Amino acid sequence: MDILNCPSCNSLFVITKFRDVCDACYKEEEAKYDKVYAYIRKKINRTASMMQVVRDTGVEEILIIKFVKTGKLRISQFPNLGIPCEKCGTQIKGGRLCSNCSDSLRSDLQAFEDEDRRLTEIPGHEKKNTYYMKDDLKG
């Protein structure tokens, strides 16, 4: 059982896998969720952008993003809602990275692996092993 300070109000609370804020802040978040959901559920608001939802409901963008990331809001039903890519900020429908950043990361990783493989093929060049077995540490 972990006791932490609430990131919203700084009061102490017991963190669980279901809540990352205290009871009072959780109830406030639920009320804001209800407000956002009621807004975007209306047919005329289903195509609202994130900025429109923030402006019209008064709910912070970061909280709406939290609702999406935790699965409370499913943006697949709302074509103009999205969450920002964690690297470049481009709007995406799911995951953590946009396809461009994901491809770039994959490419960088492949280049690193290729360089690592090339270095191990050079005669006389040995890669230093930084991992130790438990028995190696016993002296």
Side-chain angles (χ1 to χ4, degrees):
M1 178 167 26
D2 292 330
I3 297 176
L4 295 174
N5 289 74
C6 176
S8 297
C9 70
N10 211 29
S11 66
L12 289 176
F13 77 105
V14 176
I15 191 168
T16 68
K17 64 181 178 179
F18 303 109
R19 291 190 190 172
D20 60 351
V21 293
C22 70
D23 286 341
C25 291
Y26 178 76
K27 288 176 185 173
E28 189 177 316
E29 281 186 5
E30 285 299 301
K32 289 179 179 182
Y33 167 77
D34 291 341
K35 190 175 191 178
V36 168
Y37 189 70
Y39 175 82
I40 60 176
R41 209 175 80 195
K42 291 179 184 175
K43 191 172 187 170
I44 60 170
N45 297 329
R46 288 200 179 146
T47 57
S49 68
M50 180 68 79
M51 289 294 97
Q52 288 173 304
V53 175
V54 169
R55 185 189 66 232
D56 294 345
T57 63
V59 176
E60 306 85 12
E61 181 179 9
I62 195 149
L63 190 55
I64 297 171
I65 291 170
K66 178 181 177 181
F67 296 151
V68 172
K69 286 185 175 183
T70 59
K72 288 181 90 168
L73 277 181
R74 294 200 174 94
I75 57 177
S76 59
Q77 301 167 350
F78 310 105
N80 294 331
L81 278 184
I83 57 175
C85 167
E86 291 184 9
K87 186 173 181 192
C88 71
T90 301
Q91 291 292 320
I92 56 176
K93 292 293 182 184
R96 297 175 71 171
L97 299 173
C98 67
S99 59
N100 288 341
C101 291
S102 181
D103 291 346
S104 173
L105 185 62
R106 221 178 265 113
S107 162
D108 290 348
L109 182 58
Q110 186 62 48
F112 175 78
E113 289 174 346
D114 291 346
E115 179 65 11
D116 192 46
R117 193 174 310 111
R118 187 186 70 77
L119 287 175
T120 57
E121 292 173 356
I122 296 173
H125 185 277
E126 292 182 21
K127 186 177 175 184
K128 293 182 181 176
N129 188 356
T130 57
Y131 300 101
Y132 300 100
M133 300 289 287
K134 224 179 195 181
D135 293 335
D136 292 344
L137 298 175
K138 289 183 179 175

